[in-house]
């Protein structure tokens, strides 16, 4: 059996790596570059096996195949259009970076690093989405025989995404590093800059994918619901609804491709930030190797974890969740254990001066993992309909829509406290134990970065438990449209609702790891800026919070998070209005549609979503790229630091607020639909449906985009640091007023 | 005629002051302390005249008197209870400060300064509210004869509040300063500390008044509307609604007393912060005198401005607004003109070293005033139903409640950009022109404080145009309950709706002046902390944003604003639920209530609002006081600076977001009620009513409290700086890890 073989292979590799490394100590370190490829190809190979597994399942009836093809075509059409739009942006930035490199403001590798970053991010999302559009119909078909089989198909499809993301991430990070270090033999500073530009490309593509996909999926969802469910009174996923295919396409381009790109970004940029700081801390090659190895170990442990995900046929929500959790916990536990010798050895191997902080690194790794779980737990507590907050929220529907809205807003705002405290405490612990306060500031910050890497090490399996949700959702849609027996829909619904809960974990990890990554990138920025200023013969940055440039930057950063959110939300708002108008038109103009004798023009709705999502994604994405550049030109590098501080603090709170408010509204609705507070069809339920609709763009478009906003703004700042240190208005004024 | 005399008196005083001062230059400065009393007693005398004017109007029929007495009694009962609750807090803090002063952590004047600050704040709110409860019935009665007369009564009542606030502010600030300087002859540092403690007392009381009053008024409003309007289908202010008196009481305790305390706080703390920085900048006595004189000039010009507020009988909304605006603009223009010689002279008089920055101060004053108007304009743009944003919002009601909610949220978030940029630019200009970047940092920060003082100088008349709104609102209620002819209600409604628009101006000034004040207080904190550290033989603060203590503080500050908002909103939520239950009970149990043959138990509803408001106001208020102390104990003074930065940036955005989202929902409803989008009673209107109800706690409870949160957190931080510099956990860790 393949599972047994893998188990052995993986375990042996881990043991071999540890024993060999420990024995050879420092001697071996320069020759261990290939270990990154173990994780990369291990992950990709496993993903490939999962693809074959998924494809081996039968597709079901002709009708199901036809529906699934329509969804796939729509998704492909969207992706094609998105890549076309994005190409223009990438080419412009490529040219800009070329020009900057001619003037020596960035090194000559950055344009290519930027392009490849974008390419691999897009590729991750695309592969994951592609397989999801094949897996949806197979899941629906498997659900005809049983729950366990359906879970296996959907989960395998989710695994593809998970392992492609981490495998590709390791592949190109390792390759870039090795090329720069051993082939082009460039300086450490240039390696750091190139890697960060690579990260900027990743974040740019992730931003387009997340925001564009998020707008598509919510515009289709809201549009389909508003006219179909509310006005026409037909059930969800009814084939008579012209937006039904668009809705299912949305799951794939938003919840799969968008999320994949997003987590590719979180994972890769955590590593990039840590590597960049590794140079600043003087760790050199070991500073690069450690995050890569932690990530590699994570991939291997994730592979092992997947074999623990299985369920009995008579499974309920609870046992399903337990089965998924067991996979995640096995992977996490193994990875944590494996990290212990790895960290101790590598910190030892890289010289006696690092020996003193090896425990610090180890504690940082654990602090990161623990805080990630606390944030996930907090998210689950505030959004699960088994817990008090969401039940209270459902209760408040009894006094009407207004109180339900107020309740959700205050729930979301209140829920920011726990995650902020967890992340803050973990960061301060990581910094302190690594000697950050004892004069070794860069080491402390490196450990903060490492905490983020560790948190995302088993990203592959977390993402797998997350990405199967939309596949199950799609399967349910296909079952409904193909008029499969009701128990099929029940099974896919069980999987779908499970996916909603596990999605909370994934989002919790994404945003909290980003907080750490952002701190690391901020430090990297300061380092780069001071180097640049030093080269210009200027004094170091005045980063005191009382420097008005920093303070005003802080204000601007705070507002940036709000305006960005507004763009995302109003993008959905406008796009949904267009869908509403089109669906109403089709109901009005296509004779026989409601009677089921004529087909709706599904492609038209997909088209409208595509066009609008493309149009609306531009403003928030460009805002995130331009804000740091303009801030740098006006307020100088110190202002940029303030702005980054503002957008991190504000963006983190906004993300938690929106994710939890939206999640709670969603689950309050489900709780009422389960028969509580007078159940489906009551006034309370109507109020809850409104709450859910309001929460949709918050939790699926704006909320999950803040982490990308934060890293994108940070990486753009670093890449354009040379511009800010040379050409800012504030420095001009300062020079005039001093001189 | 009294108006003519005043005109002359005021103008002569201004001219006399200028000429005398200019002639005697530096010689005169020490003898000019009495000028503060000119503003103080001038303002109070004018307020007294307005009180007599209001009281001279007849009260109307017996029924009206009876209703007005019920409202007055309810308001008094609330205030009595509030002061009782608050007394416990003030006594505890008094004892705490006493203990700290014994250990030398604060000086021995601080406990008394704290108490008096609270006392005067409470007194301002109380006097304003008291006269409002006499003016409401007189306004209703005057509205029987005409619009102009009603405006005069209501506006006179609003003026009382305006002038009491600025008059009392000048009175006690001047008195404290003179006592400390000339009687007790304490050091400049101790004067600064005492003044800031005074400011902390002010902010504490303002917090209780604003949050408690805000919860009361919105609980009563939401409760009355949900059961009365929506469930029972009776009109607003119908005497059969048991919560109708509570609703009217709420206008007085929240919109009058709460707002009065709030603006007393903004105004006084702007002066306090500027004075504190004046010492740090080495301006000494002149640094004290300038903000006091700017404020004095503002009071005098405001008195002049009030004579320009009059309207013709056939006035419409537009001409009424013009009439109010003309008063504000005349006052503002005169004050701006008068500030020119004042600033130039005082900066000249205090020594040659200040000569170089006199223009800086002047430009700062103008930058402050201009940015205040831009923020107000932006607020009006986003919330006025004559402008596109609110009209678009009203339009989105056509696709249902959900899109209206989403639209309002994104409108509010988008609207943060303008005010943030306006305030940022003004702050950076003020700092730069005063030589902040040329090594004279404290002078630059002093000018930022001065900008806030200037912005609020004509606070008295702005507040007057603001505080007459709730009086007119109450008058409408009395007219309805006393069954006066419909044209009376029409007239009071015209005034009320006018008040909603002018309230936007007041709130805009309050929050933007607070941004400046907060920057000044932040600088004062750093100054105090470094002095304290210096006395302990320790190094200066590491305020670089890359210091994890600062960064984590920033996170905590950001979350503080969100959690504070959640407490305010959920406080209203819970209190409103209690009102709903009580009103439903009375409708059910009191026989003949709906038929009008039996009286409702109004007092019971007032009582429930009072009890709940008292209970719910505690958590947010205590949070604001404890957060800086706990942050100081954990993260040390650098962490406190970060926290203040976070709460300023986040709080400012949240305030603008909530004020504008709430205002836009309110006016979108009014726009629909005016007959647009199918008008009253339509589904669109129902959606808009929900939007309005959701917006209520945002715009009237949480939104206007952020400025107090910011100053309260800042002043508490300064007062407890000695604790943070000595006993923080992080310093303990640092010492262990270094040693």
């Amino acid at each position: 059996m393949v599972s047994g073989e893998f188990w052995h292979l993986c375990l042996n590799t881990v043991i071999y790596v540890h024993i060999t490394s420990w024995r050879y100590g420092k001697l071996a370190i320069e020759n261990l570059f290939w270990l990154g490829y173990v994780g990369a190809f291990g992950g990709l190979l496993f993903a490939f096996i999962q693809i074959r597994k998924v494809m081996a399942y039968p597709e079901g009836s002709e009708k199901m195949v036809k529906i699934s093809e329509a969804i796939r075509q729509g998704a492909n059409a969207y992706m094609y259009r998105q890549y076309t739009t994005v190409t223009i942006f990438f080419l412009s930035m490529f040219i800009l970076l070329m020009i900057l490199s001619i003037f020596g403001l960035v090194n000559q590798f950055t344009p290519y690093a930027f392009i490849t970053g974008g390419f691999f991010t897009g590729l991750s999302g695309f592969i994951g989405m592609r397989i999801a559009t094949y897996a949806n119909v197979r899941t629906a078909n498997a659900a005809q025989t049983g729950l366990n089989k359906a879970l296996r198909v959907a989960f395998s499809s989710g695994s593809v995404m998970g392992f492609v993301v981490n495998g590709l991430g390791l592949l190109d990070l390792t390759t870039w590093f090795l090329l720069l270090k051993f082939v082009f033999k460039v300086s450490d500073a240039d390696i750091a800059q190139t890697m960060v530009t690579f990260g900027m490309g990743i974040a740019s593509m992730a931003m387009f994918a997340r925001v564009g996909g998020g707008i598509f999926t919510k515009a289709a969802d809201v549009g389909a619901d508003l006219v179909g469910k509310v006005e026409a009174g037909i059930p969800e996923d009814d084939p008579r609804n012209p937006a039904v295919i668009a809705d299912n396409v949305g799951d794939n381009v938003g919840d799969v491709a968008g999320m994949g790109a997003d987590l590719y970004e979180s994972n890769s940029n955590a590593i990039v930030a840590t590597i960049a700081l590794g140079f600043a801390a003087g760790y050199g090659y070991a500073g690069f190797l450690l995050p890569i190895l932690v990530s590699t170990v994570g991939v291997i442990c994730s592979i092992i974890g997947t074999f623990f995900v299985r369920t009995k046929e008579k499974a309920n929500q609870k046992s399903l969740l337990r089965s998924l959790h067991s996979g995640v916990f096995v992977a996490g536990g193994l990875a944590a254990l494996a990290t212990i010798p790895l960290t101790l050895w590598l910190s030892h191997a890289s010289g006696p001066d690092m020996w003193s902080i090896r425990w610090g690194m180890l504690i940082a790794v654990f602090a990161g993992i623990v805080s990630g779980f606390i944030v996930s737990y907090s998210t689950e507590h505030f959004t699960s309909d088994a817990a008090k907050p969401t039940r209270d929220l459902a209760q408040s529907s009894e006094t009407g829509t207004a109180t339900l809205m107020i309740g959700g807003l205050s729930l979301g705002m209140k829920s920011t406290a726990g995650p902020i405290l967890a992340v803050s405490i973990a960061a301060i612990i990581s910094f302190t134990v690594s000697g950050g306060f004892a004069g070794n500031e860069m080491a402390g910050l490196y450990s903060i970065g490492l905490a983020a890497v560790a948190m995302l090490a088993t990203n592959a399996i977390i993402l797998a438990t997350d990405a199967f949700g939309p596949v199950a959702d799609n399967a349910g849609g296909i079952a409904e449209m193909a008029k499969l027996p009701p128990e099929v829909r029940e099974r896919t619904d069980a999987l779908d609702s499970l996916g909603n809960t596990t999605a909370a974990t994934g989002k919790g990890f994404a945003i909290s790891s980003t907080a750490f990554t952002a701190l690391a990138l901020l430090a990297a920025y300061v380092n780069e800026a001071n180097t640049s200023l030093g080269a210009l013969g200027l004094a170091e940055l005045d980063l005191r919070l009382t420097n008005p440039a920093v303070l005003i930057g802080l204000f601007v950063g705070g507002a940036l998070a709000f305006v960005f959110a507004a763009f995302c939300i109003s993008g959905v708002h406008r796009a949904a209005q267009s869908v509403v108008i089109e669906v109403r038109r089709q109901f009005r103009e296509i004779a026989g549609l409601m009677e089921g004798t004529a087909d709706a023009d599904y492609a038209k709705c997909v088209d409208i979503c595509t066009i609008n999502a493309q149009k609306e994604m531009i403003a928030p994405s460009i805002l995130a790229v331009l804000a740091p550049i303009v801030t740098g030109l006006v307020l100088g590098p110190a202002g940029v630091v303030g702005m980054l501080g503002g957008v991190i603090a504000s963006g983190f709170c906004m993300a938690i607020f929106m994710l939890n408010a939206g999640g709670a509204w969603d689950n309050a609705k489900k709780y009422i639909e389960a028969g509580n507070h007078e159940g489906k069809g009551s006034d309370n339920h109507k109020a809850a449906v409104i709450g859910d609709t309001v929460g949709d763009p918050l939790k699926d478009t704006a909320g999950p985009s803040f982490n990308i906003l934060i890293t994108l703004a940070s990486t753009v700042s670093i890449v354009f640091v040379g511009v800010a240190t040379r050409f800012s208005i504030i420095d001009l004024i300062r020079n005039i007023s001093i001189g």
Side-chain angles (χ1 to χ4, degrees), chain A:
Chain A
M1 226 191 88
V2 76
S3 73
E5 289 164 32
F6 251 92
W7 226 105
H8 279 276
L9 178 68
C10 303
L11 199 65
N12 283 337
T13 310
V14 174
I15 292 169
Y16 172 77
V17 168
H18 283 162
I19 293 176
T20 327
S21 323
W22 192 266
R23 185 182 294 158
Y24 294 101
K26 195 166 181 174
L27 194 71
I29 188 169
E30 296 278 312
N31 301 320
L32 286 178
F33 65 90
W34 56 271
L35 274 174
Y37 288 115
V38 170
F41 290 113
L44 291 175
L45 182 67
F46 188 74
F48 182 70
I49 294 170
Q50 297 299 315
I51 292 178
R52 298 208 38 175
K53 223 170 171 180
V54 169
M55 297 307 282
Y57 285 97
E59 289 188 284
S61 73
E62 201 184 319
K63 185 154 193 191
M64 287 162 72
V65 174
K66 203 184 127 203
I67 296 166
S68 134
E69 262 168 14
I71 296 173
R72 190 155 52 243
Q73 274 169 18
N76 288 342
Y78 174 79
M79 292 309 264
Y80 177 77
R81 181 103 61 144
Q82 171 151 308
Y83 292 139
T84 315
T85 313
V86 164
T87 302
I88 300 167
F89 170 80
F90 270 81
L91 280 182
S92 320
M93 287 298 281
F94 181 82
I95 294 167
L96 180 60
L97 288 169
M98 276 290 190
I99 295 169
L100 291 179
S101 79
I102 291 168
F103 287 102
L105 293 169
V106 296
N107 73 60
Q108 76 267 34
F109 298 100
T110 53
Y112 308 99
F114 180 73
I115 291 283
T116 48
F119 175 76
F120 281 111
T121 313
L123 187 63
S124 298
F126 183 73
I127 294 174
M129 188 209 75
R130 190 92 184 138
I131 188 70
T133 60
Y134 285 107
N136 54 11
V137 64
R138 289 169 170 83
T139 305
N141 191 45
Q144 299 201 58
T145 34
L147 185 61
N148 192 19
K149 207 169 164 194
L151 172 67
R152 295 218 63 83
V153 185
F155 184 71
S156 286
S157 160
S159 307
V160 174
M161 170 64 96
F163 287 93
V164 162
V165 158
N166 274 35
L168 276 184
L170 278 171
L171 179 66
D172 41 71
L173 279 167
T174 308
T175 306
W176 260 113
F177 183 83
L178 296 177
L179 277 177
L180 293 168
K181 180 90 187 171
F182 298 114
V183 179
F184 297 109
K185 296 192 195 325
V186 301
S187 71
D188 283 357
D190 276 349
I191 295 182
Q193 191 184 53
T194 311
M195 298 298 264
V196 171
T197 317
F198 180 68
M200 178 173 108
I202 293 172
S204 303
M205 180 60 95
M207 178 63 95
F208 286 113
R210 188 47 122 167
V211 175
I215 292 174
F216 185 115
T217 181
K218 288 301 127 183
D221 188 7
V222 172
D225 283 1
L226 279 181
V227 190
K229 267 205 232 174
V230 181
E231 292 180 13
I234 55 178
E236 197 163 329
D237 290 322
D238 190 294
R240 290 171 293 178
N241 192 330
V244 70
I245 295 288
D247 191 6
N248 281 288
V249 169
D251 294 342
N252 290 297
V253 302
D255 299 345
V256 181
M259 186 179 60
D262 182 357
L263 277 149
Y264 182 89
E265 189 276 322
S266 298
N267 184 50
S268 300
N269 273 328
I271 301 177
V272 163
T274 312
I275 293 176
L277 276 180
F279 291 120
Y283 292 170
Y285 189 66
F288 155 76
L289 206 56
L290 185 53
I292 292 286
L293 290 195
V294 169
S295 196
T296 294
V297 166
V299 169
I300 295 163
C301 297
S302 293
I303 294 177
I304 299 169
T306 58
F307 297 106
F308 288 83
V309 178
R310 51 178 69 248
T311 186
K312 281 168 289 188
E313 198 38 58
K314 290 218 169 293
N316 57 18
Q317 184 87 9
K318 222 172 179 175
S319 67
L320 277 171
L321 191 61
R322 205 179 312 120
S323 134
L324 288 176
H325 272 171
S326 65
V328 172
F329 285 134
V330 166
L334 284 178
L337 284 179
T339 316
I340 299 176
L342 198 64
T343 312
L344 294 180
W345 161 69
L346 210 63
S347 51
H348 165 66
S350 48
D353 54 317
M354 284 184 72
W355 181 257
S356 65
I357 55 163
R358 72 193 194 284
W359 290 106
M361 285 193 186
L362 190 61
I363 294 170
V365 162
F366 279 86
I369 294 174
V370 170
S371 69
F373 275 108
I374 292 175
V375 174
S376 299
Y377 171 77
S378 156
T379 310
E380 231 177 279
H381 171 72
F382 277 101
T383 60
S384 157
D385 63 11
K388 197 168 178 295
T390 298
R391 292 212 169 171
D392 283 353
L393 185 63
Q395 161 91 45
S396 73
S397 71
E398 300 219 339
T399 36
T401 311
T403 47
L404 183 88
M405 297 305 314
I406 294 174
L409 292 176
S410 71
L411 177 150
M413 289 176 186
K414 206 170 280 178
S415 73
T416 57
I420 279 272
L421 288 180
V423 166
S424 297
I425 293 169
I428 215 97
I429 288 177
S430 306
F431 185 80
T432 309
V433 293
S434 300
F437 287 123
N440 215 345
E441 192 166 284
M442 280 299 158
L445 291 162
Y446 178 84
S447 287
I448 291 180
L450 203 57
V453 174
M455 200 189 281
L456 293 171
T458 54
N459 188 23
I461 188 161
I462 293 172
L463 193 47
T465 65
D466 197 343
F468 89 94
V471 173
D473 193 356
N474 250 249
I478 293 172
E480 189 81 30
M481 284 183 270
K483 300 200 170 56
L484 298 187
E487 70 266 24
V488 177
R489 176 77 196 214
E490 267 164 36
R491 287 177 190 138
T492 60
D493 272 359
L495 292 179
D496 179 22
S497 124
L498 188 63
N500 282 334
T501 311
T502 54
T505 314
K507 285 171 187 166
F509 272 85
I511 185 68
S512 32
S513 69
T514 297
F516 292 115
T517 304
L519 297 186
L521 286 172
L522 190 72
Y525 178 79
V526 172
N527 202 47
E528 288 277 320
N530 280 334
T531 309
S532 167
L533 289 168
L536 295 167
L538 297 171
E540 286 209 342
L541 283 181
D542 172 9
L543 290 180
R544 289 168 309 142
L545 203 56
T546 41
N547 175 359
V550 177
L551 256 178
I552 299 304
L554 194 68
F555 275 37
V556 172
L560 177 60
F562 280 78
V563 174
F564 173 81
F567 280 161
C568 291
I569 296 170
S570 62
V572 173
H573 186 50
R574 275 188 298 267
Q577 306 262 37
S578 317
V579 177
V580 165
I581 291 167
E582 171 61 19
V583 174
R584 281 184 186 157
R585 186 195 66 79
Q586 293 200 21
F587 274 132
R588 201 174 51 237
E589 295 181 5
I590 301 178
L593 178 57
M594 274 307 270
E595 296 74 30
T597 55
D599 271 352
D601 186 357
Y602 303 120
K604 182 80 189 162
C605 284
V606 174
D607 214 41
I608 284 175
C609 287
T610 303
I611 293 168
N612 279 290
Q614 291 308 300
K615 202 171 69 186
E616 300 292 350
M617 82 177 179
I618 294 180
S621 308
I622 296 296
L623 179 74
V625 174
L626 282 188
I629 300 178
V630 173
T631 306
L633 284 172
V634 177
L635 294 174
V640 173
V641 174
M643 189 219 69
L644 292 177
V647 79
I648 297 170
S650 219
F652 188 93
C653 290
M654 289 285 269
I656 301 283
F657 157 54
M658 292 194 170
L659 292 174
N660 289 351
W665 274 319
D666 188 354
N667 285 331
K669 185 195 72 172
K670 293 206 169 106
Y671 183 68
I672 291 175
E673 283 173 355
N676 301 292
H677 302 292
E678 300 174 34
K680 235 170 169 164
S682 64
D683 278 351
N684 303 341
H685 181 241
K686 275 181 201 141
V689 169
I690 292 173
D692 181 35
T693 312
V694 174
D696 267 347
L698 269 58
K699 76 173 202 298
D700 291 323
T701 312
S705 305
F706 284 109
N707 57 332
I708 310 177
L709 170 70
I710 292 171
T711 24
L712 184 52
S714 305
T715 48
V716 170
S717 300
I718 298 179
V719 174
F720 288 88
V721 67
V723 178
T725 51
R726 283 173 180 83
F727 309 114
S728 75
I729 293 175
I730 207 163
D731 282 327
L732 193 72
I733 293 173
R734 188 183 287 128
N735 292 336
I736 292 170
S737 66
I738 294 175

